[in-house]
Amino acid sequence: MQALSTKPAHPSVAFPLIHFKVSIFLIWSIFIVKGFFYCSFMPLWEGYDEWSHFGHIQSLVENKSLFADRDKSVSSEVLNSILNTPVAWEVRYYTDSLLTHDQYWKLSNIKRNELQANIQNISASNLNTSPDSPFKIYEALQPPLYYWIMSSFYYPIKDIHLLDRVYILRFINILISSMAIPVLFLIAWNTTKEYFLPLASITLLCSLPEFMINVSRIGNESLGIFLFSLLILIAIVSFQNEKYSNKSAIMLGLCLGLGLLTKAYFLTAIPAIAAIYLWKIYKNSYFPVVLNHAMKSYGIGFLISGWWYIRNRIISNTWTGLNESLLLKKMNFLNYVEGIREVDWIAAIDSILVSHIWFGAWSSLIVRSWMYHFLFFLIALSILGIFLVFISSKNIRDSIIILGMFYGFYWVGQLYNVLLLFLSKGASTSMGWYMYCVISSQLILFLVGVFYFRKYLNKNIIFSFILLCFIALDLYTVNFVSIPYYTGLISHRPNGFLENIHLSDYTHIGIVELLSRISINKPEWISPVMISVLWISHFCVNILLLVIPRKSFILHQDEDMKSHKTHSPQ
């Protein structure tokens, strides 16, 4: 095959070119526009665990404390909002007084107007809590960095209406997660030093609908995704070029420490980085230099975040304080071994992949199975391509190993979480949307894998087809699954699956009523007019995603081909 280049496509062309800067800016803007649309059409508290994340932030600000009590109930205003709005399908068992979206839209107009008025009349001063409430601030078990950062944004707006606060924090989440765009671009650039992969990576990221669902809610995933991407970038630059300087050690340790203060899944980065260090020692035998770098990196990471995990150990007798770990404190090693034998691993991996591709927020909406299986086929094809690239292209092998370490050890963590969930709850499953924290590794490895087959088919065609698949999934899930469900056009069948939407269902209630339904239980500034503008914008920017990168791809295709010929191993 044509080897992937390790030098800039043309020595006279400075990186990044001005038109590439424009393309990056436009794609970054598209991400934000799409994110704002997702924030706006998603119903109140529909995001995964959103009300508990919000309750955690609110508790820190109102109690003027650094930590929240995980056993404490959410405030009365949050509780009242939950009781008066349609809740996500997966939340329906909390208490009998809750209404799902299915039930909510079967109420009379008078009853729905009454519930909407109750939410509009919620007072920001009603911060009392009820110890009997089933709605706890259980997200207080999470590391505190994200909540400290969001508290600084929450404090100036703490006295405005609840709905305004929720949606402002959602928009801030989008801005935080958008910072992963330039970081991903730089990771891809340092992987191959050619122009196609970086632009393709950030373009594809903008097309992923489940990624948008994951970051368009209040939750620490946005900061976790950015920091994990930054950690991978620092690792790529440091290890690929073997820059074992004090500066790179400090940056690596700093990013690792901040990540460990954001999400417990950063624990998977510890063995990943250790494996990279061992590989470098084996490869080059610079044991004293590498060991010194490792000690500095891990030392700084521990100084920043170690206190949190020691605190967990003292308080809960577990290192992470997560619910599953608390439930399994008394289990011994043999219990875990027995659990490994009993878990349905095929079903577990399938559930991870399905909920990673698209899972429709906390209502756990899904699309037709053939859509998932077609994308599974593309994933399998990319795995084959990665293997073939690895054995045939020495100049990209280091990058594949570094990216693969982070991605592989995260999968080990996911499978360990499957075991914890099985032992604590009897379910062979895990949450695939957490996989987006290593999206930088995943996207680059995926694209490198599928681009191997450019020897049979032009890579522009390959990428355009893949991009079209995800944009089609985005448009389909928004317009024919999520919005119809959230507005009562479709509901769950007795078997738990959603009804199919027909175009006649849209015309039955009319566009004015549809926009009105989307805008209920939202701030006044998220009006039907704003929803319609964002909805049209969502469609337009998806089309732009197919157009914007193309000129850049074509413009430098010749330079990349020259670089391949110049630097291909003979």
Side-chain angles (χ1 to χ4, degrees), residues 358-411:
W358 196 79
F359 205 53
W362 217 358
S363 286
S364 301
L365 308 177
I366 58 175
V367 292
R368 299 181 182 184
S369 61
W370 68 264
M371 298 181 183
Y372 294 110
H373 288 98
F374 177 74
L375 294 174
F376 290 171
F377 169 75
L378 292 181
I379 293 170
L381 196 64
S382 73
I383 294 173
L384 173 61
I386 281 289
F387 174 75
L388 295 173
V389 169
F390 186 82
I391 63 177
S392 62
S393 299
K394 293 182 179 180
N395 52 358
I396 197 176
R397 194 171 294 168
D398 285 7
S399 297
I400 291 177
I401 290 174
I402 295 170
L403 295 171
M405 288 295 185
F406 284 105
Y407 191 58
F409 275 99
Y410 190 83
W411 260 106

Side-chain angles (χ1 to χ4, degrees), residues 204 207-209 357-358 367 370-372 374-378 446 461-477 542 546:
L204 188 57
S207 71
L208 303 177
I357 291 173
W358 196 79
V367 292
W370 68 264
M371 298 181 183
Y372 294 110
F374 177 74
L375 294 174
F376 290 171
F377 169 75
L378 292 181
F446 174 76
I461 297 176
I462 294 173
F463 179 70
S464 296
F465 175 73
I466 292 171
L467 183 61
L468 184 61
C469 288
F470 281 102
I471 288 176
L473 181 65
D474 184 19
L475 293 173
Y476 174 78
T477 53
N542 269 314
L546 293 170

Side-chain angles (χ1 to χ4, degrees), residues 48-49 210-211 213-214 217 221 225 265 351-352 355-357 359 361-362 364 410 414 430-437:
Y48 306 112
D49 305 290
E210 180 63 21
F211 182 82
I213 289 174
N214 194 22
R217 59 181 172 114
E221 285 296 304
I225 290 166
Y265 53 45
S351 71
I352 292 171
S355 56
H356 181 55
I357 291 173
F359 205 53
W362 217 358
S364 301
Y410 190 83
Q414 270 282 41
S430 188
M431 289 69 75
W433 53 88
Y434 291 146
M435 295 291 295
Y436 283 106
C437 71

